[in-house]
Amino acid sequence: MPPEPVRRSHVVPGATPAEVYAVVTDFLAYPKLSPEFTGVKIIETDGKRMRVEFRAQVVIPARYVLDMVCDPDNHTVDWTYVEGEVVTDSRGGWRFSPQGEGTRIDYQATLDVRAPVPGFILRKITDAVVSAALPSMFASITREVAVRKLPRSRG
């Protein structure tokens, strides 16, 4: 039985959907934004689709590859699972829309994890990857949007 999707929303103040979308689709910056990510590699790009390998460390190391379909016109990202170790399935997406003076992020994801550990540890891994990490991820996105909006010094 597939896991229930996790759904979360967050508002990034003072940012446009395009600015927030630009941060979220900068996959190579993920290790800088979130300490759980130990590496990211873009395997191939084909139009709006990118195949991306993620490496993460949450209790145990995990490697997984996702097909990311990025639509800059509609400010959406959808992903489907390709392969991995520990992570055995993941589907989800991001939606970015104007809200007041900022941008609302709507995030949805499912994650299936298989590892040679007891069930309660497996639940902890899944919760950490999907649920527990979301507040810090949203905070990192908000900070990175603000940093990217700062004027660059001309030194």
Side-chain angles (χ1 to χ4, degrees), residues 9 12 15-16 18 21 27 33 45 51 72 74 82 85 89 92 94 102 119 127 135 145-146 150-151:
S9 295
V12 179
T16 66
Y21 172 89
F27 303 117
L33 298 176
T45 302
R51 182 160 287 181
N74 292 305
V82 176
E85 292 97 41
D89 196 16
W94 299 85
D127 289 347
V145 167
L150 291 174

Side-chain angles (χ1 to χ4, degrees), residues 72-144:
D73 297 328
N74 292 305
H75 304 114
T76 63
V77 179
D78 292 295
W79 71 83
T80 54
Y81 177 82
V82 176
E83 66 177 48
E85 292 97 41
V86 179
V87 174
T88 57
D89 196 16
S90 181
R91 299 183 191 298
W94 299 85
R95 301 290 179 266
F96 309 97
S97 55
Q99 182 168 323
E101 297 294 315
T103 292
R104 176 186 168 106
I105 299 172
D106 289 303
Y107 173 89
Q108 176 180 313
T110 61
L111 182 72
D112 197 10
V113 176
R114 299 250 192 282
V117 296
F120 73 96
I121 292 177
L122 203 52
R123 282 188 296 281
K124 181 178 180 180
I125 294 168
T126 303
D127 289 347
V129 170
V130 177
S131 301
L134 286 174
S136 65
M137 180 179 65
F138 286 142
S140 294
I141 292 168
T142 300
R143 275 192 308 274
E144 184 65 15

Side-chain angles (χ1 to χ4, degrees), residues 17-35:
E19 290 168 332
V20 181
Y21 172 89
V23 169
V24 170
T25 57
D26 185 358
F27 303 117
L28 296 177
Y30 279 28
K32 181 178 88 168
L33 298 176
S34 179

Side-chain angles (χ1 to χ4, degrees), residues 34-47:
S34 179
E36 292 88 18
F37 287 102
T38 58
V40 176
K41 178 176 148 188
I42 296 172
I43 297 170
E44 66 181 76
T45 302
D46 179 17

